[in-house]
Amino acid sequence: MKKQTLFLAPLIFLFFYPFPVKAQFFKIDTEFYSNSLKEIRKVSIYLPHNYYQEQEAYYPAVYFLHGWGGNQNALDDRQMLMSHLLTSGQIQPMIVVCADNGCQPFGTGVYVNSVITGNFEDFTILDLIPWVEDNFRAIPQKEARGLIGQSLGGYGAFRFGIFHKDKFRAISSHAAQVNYDLWMPAVRQMLMLENSGPPYFYNFYGFMNDESMGPNGFFTRSLFLASSGFSPDPNSNQTYINPQIIQFPFNQYCQLLDSVYAKWKAFNIPTMLSNLSPADSVSILYGCGLYDETMAYFPNFALQDTLAHHNLSYEFFSHKAGHAMPETYFTRSMIFLDSLLLDYSIYTKDQAPFSDEILIETMPNPFSEYVDVSFVPDNSADALIEIADLKGAIVKHMHKQVKGKVRNRIRFNTSELSPGIYFIRVTSGRFTGSEKIIRLEG
């Protein structure tokens, strides 16, 4: 990927210091100048309890991308849950970041660069991440960065994980619109219910409810929002829309416009996934509620075929709730990312990436009866795979001949292991890799 040089203006910090309690996350409210957006943006940073006690320790970082109408405080109601996961040892100490991606005229940027809303993709990739790593002790490596996204933020997590695969080891996406080919026919029906016609006049501001997830006009307004990123046009000639600053994908008779939708195709996740391969080592957790009010479930469920077609490492999390992210999914996301990201440790910014490290993936994790471990060794060799308990005792091991430069997948029967936390280690020649895994009850 082409390297770009970023010049940041002087930083403005507004720190709020709650007294750090043992084994909890504490929040810092701050802000910084974004060169990509040409303005100051607010950010919430959640630091682990030991951040200021262990001055030489560096941490993995998880970036949370909020949904439509959200802001930098989108994780406030998850702070206690994050602290519980840390206290109980289900996750290691890490830095969690949530930045404000809100903007006018439709409430939020859609995590792409747009002439209408601003360059919100560059904001995260070129501004936010370097700023976090310059001002907090976040490990500046792909293997130490993860993403979680809700709804629109879930789309952003997929997009960033695919097009910036050199920067993120794993992503988690919940309730995103992942396939417009499957979603648009249902949206067409809703447009005809939400608007009077034909002919139809689509007005973003023509609904009583101001909430983005409200009962009135959601699908009409969501098309304006998506169009601001996928088909922006300050000189639009569509006289049947308000505001007239986009190319709306339907005409006044609610017929899909192929010329506009062709622009959307490039932003469709199944199209983008062709840019990702197993060798890129980007693990994917994604999910959706069976009763999702935005009709996102079926497109998410169907995406499994595309992910399997590309032989990508993924896990689909289905639940019997709606569009909002339940605690069970957020918990799974944090454990999933923690299992894949580098452990926090003594680290210096002059330290080079670990050239002798194998990046390994485990699925499912947590697990019950079995766990699959996959990795891409540098050369064909005999590999030793070991599972150790918290005391370092080897409780299970296996020798396996593996092929170099391709992904090898090995299944362990773990039914005899007691519930608890373990570490799995792979050694192949001079290369090694390890990962934390969790054995569940039952």
Side-chain angles (χ1 to χ4, degrees):
M1 190 177 78
K2 183 179 179 182
K3 293 184 177 179
Q4 301 187 46
T5 303
L6 177 67
F7 297 94
L8 292 177
L11 306 178
I12 301 175
F13 286 92
L14 299 175
F15 282 177
F16 171 67
Y17 284 91
F19 185 78
V21 181
K22 184 177 180 181
Q24 291 190 357
F25 284 93
F26 61 98
K27 180 186 177 186
I28 291 177
D29 293 313
T30 184
E31 56 189 26
F32 77 106
Y33 180 81
S34 164
N35 194 52
S36 297
L37 298 176
K38 307 301 182 187
E39 63 184 15
I40 292 173
R41 303 299 293 189
K42 294 182 178 181
V43 187
S44 293
I45 308 289
Y46 299 85
L47 298 176
H49 65 285
N50 58 346
Y51 183 83
Y52 288 106
Q53 283 72 45
E54 300 183 19
Q55 293 286 332
E56 296 182 343
Y58 278 70
Y59 299 82
V62 170
Y63 294 83
F64 184 87
L65 308 180
H66 63 73
W68 187 8
N71 57 31
Q72 76 280 1
N73 297 315
L75 278 179
D76 281 2
D77 62 349
R78 305 291 188 185
Q79 186 172 353
M80 288 184 64
L81 177 56
M82 291 192 298
S83 294
H84 167 72
L85 295 174
L86 184 61
T87 301
S88 61
Q90 296 181 70
I91 62 172
Q92 65 172 319
M94 63 176 65
I95 296 172
V96 182
V97 181
C98 184
D100 179 18
N101 283 267
C103 69
Q104 295 301 321
F106 303 128
T108 305
V110 295
Y111 298 100
V112 303
N113 293 337
S114 166
V115 296
I116 299 296
T117 60
N119 295 335
F120 276 91
E121 184 167 356
D122 288 351
F123 166 64
T124 296
I125 303 301
L126 301 182
D127 295 0
L128 177 63
I129 292 174
W131 175 79
V132 168
E133 292 174 356
D134 284 345
N135 293 278
F136 298 90
R137 297 194 307 278
I139 302 173
Q141 289 186 13
K142 165 193 169 88
E143 294 80 10
R145 300 189 197 103
L147 291 164
I148 303 179
Q150 162 64 15
S151 189
L152 182 60
Y155 172 83
F158 262 113
R159 180 175 178 83
F160 294 167
I162 294 168
F163 287 127
H164 304 284
K165 55 194 177 186
D166 61 320
K167 293 189 178 296
F168 302 103
R169 175 64 182 84
I171 69 168
S172 171
S173 169
H174 181 262
Q177 291 301 340
V178 297
N179 191 331
Y180 292 105
D181 290 343
L182 299 178
W183 192 59
M184 280 299 201
V187 170
R188 180 176 180 271
Q189 300 299 316
M190 296 305 299
L191 284 180
M192 291 188 288
L193 291 174
E194 292 178 348
N195 300 277
S196 298
Y200 296 96
F201 183 82
Y202 309 106
N203 184 3
F204 180 84
Y205 306 107
F207 301 95
M208 295 285 293
N209 187 69
D210 292 331
E211 297 296 325
S212 63
M213 275 296 297
N216 298 317
F218 168 78
F219 292 94
T220 301
R221 290 183 293 145
S222 68
L223 288 183
F224 275 94
L225 175 68
S227 296
S228 72
F230 304 162
S231 54
D233 185 357
N235 301 308
S236 174
N237 62 2
Q238 294 179 325
T239 58
Y240 54 89
I241 65 170
N242 180 49
Q244 202 173 324
I245 57 174
I246 60 165
Q247 291 184 18
F248 201 74
F250 290 88
N251 66 15
Q252 61 266 50
Y253 297 99
C254 212
Q255 297 167 325
L256 188 64
L257 295 172
D258 291 343
S259 60
V260 177
Y261 191 58
K263 298 178 180 180
W264 283 49
K265 285 278 192 179
F267 296 90
N268 210 19
I269 288 174
T271 303
M272 296 191 296
L273 281 171
S274 62
N275 294 282
L276 202 60
S277 74
D280 294 320
S281 293
V282 177
S283 295
I284 298 168
L285 168 69
Y286 80 110
C288 194
L290 187 62
Y291 303 106
D292 187 288
E293 302 89 337
T294 70
M295 299 188 292
Y297 184 81
F298 178 66
N300 274 273
F301 181 83
L303 189 66
Q304 294 177 88
D305 287 341
T306 305
L307 293 164
H309 172 74
H310 293 293
N311 197 29
L312 298 174
S313 173
Y314 78 92
E315 176 185 335
F316 178 58
F317 188 106
S318 177
H319 59 84
K320 295 181 179 180
H323 189 69
M325 183 187 294
E327 285 192 1
T328 52
Y329 184 85
F330 184 79
T331 297
R332 178 73 192 101
S333 294
M334 294 295 287
I335 294 173
F336 171 80
L337 294 175
D338 174 73
S339 72
L340 293 166
L341 301 183
L342 292 176
D343 291 341
Y344 86 100
S345 60
I346 305 301
Y347 178 94
T348 66
K349 288 199 173 183
D350 296 330
Q351 183 176 340
F354 302 110
S355 59
D356 291 346
E357 182 182 16
I358 294 177
L359 296 179
I360 67 174
E361 300 175 2
T362 54
M363 289 283 181
N365 188 18
F367 59 93
S368 294
E369 299 301 315
Y370 70 88
V371 61
D372 289 336
V373 56
S374 64
F375 54 95
V376 181
D378 194 56
N379 298 298
S380 298
D382 181 67
L384 171 64
I385 304 99
E386 301 170 300
I387 296 179
D389 61 20
L390 284 174
K391 295 180 180 179
I394 304 300
V395 295
K396 197 171 183 65
H397 72 279
M398 177 191 300
H399 286 275
K400 190 80 172 181
Q401 188 68 30
V402 296
K403 295 181 179 179
K405 308 297 186 183
V406 299
R407 182 161 296 280
N408 294 260
R409 192 178 303 274
I410 299 169
R411 173 163 293 189
F412 267 95
N413 184 327
T414 55
S415 57
E416 73 275 18
L417 295 182
S418 301
I421 298 174
Y422 297 86
F423 292 89
I424 190 163
R425 180 170 63 240
V426 175
T427 304
S428 180
R430 67 185 180 88
F431 296 90
T432 61
S434 64
E435 189 169 303
K436 181 170 69 177
I437 55 177
I438 299 175
R439 169 72 158 87
L440 299 176
E441 295 274 3

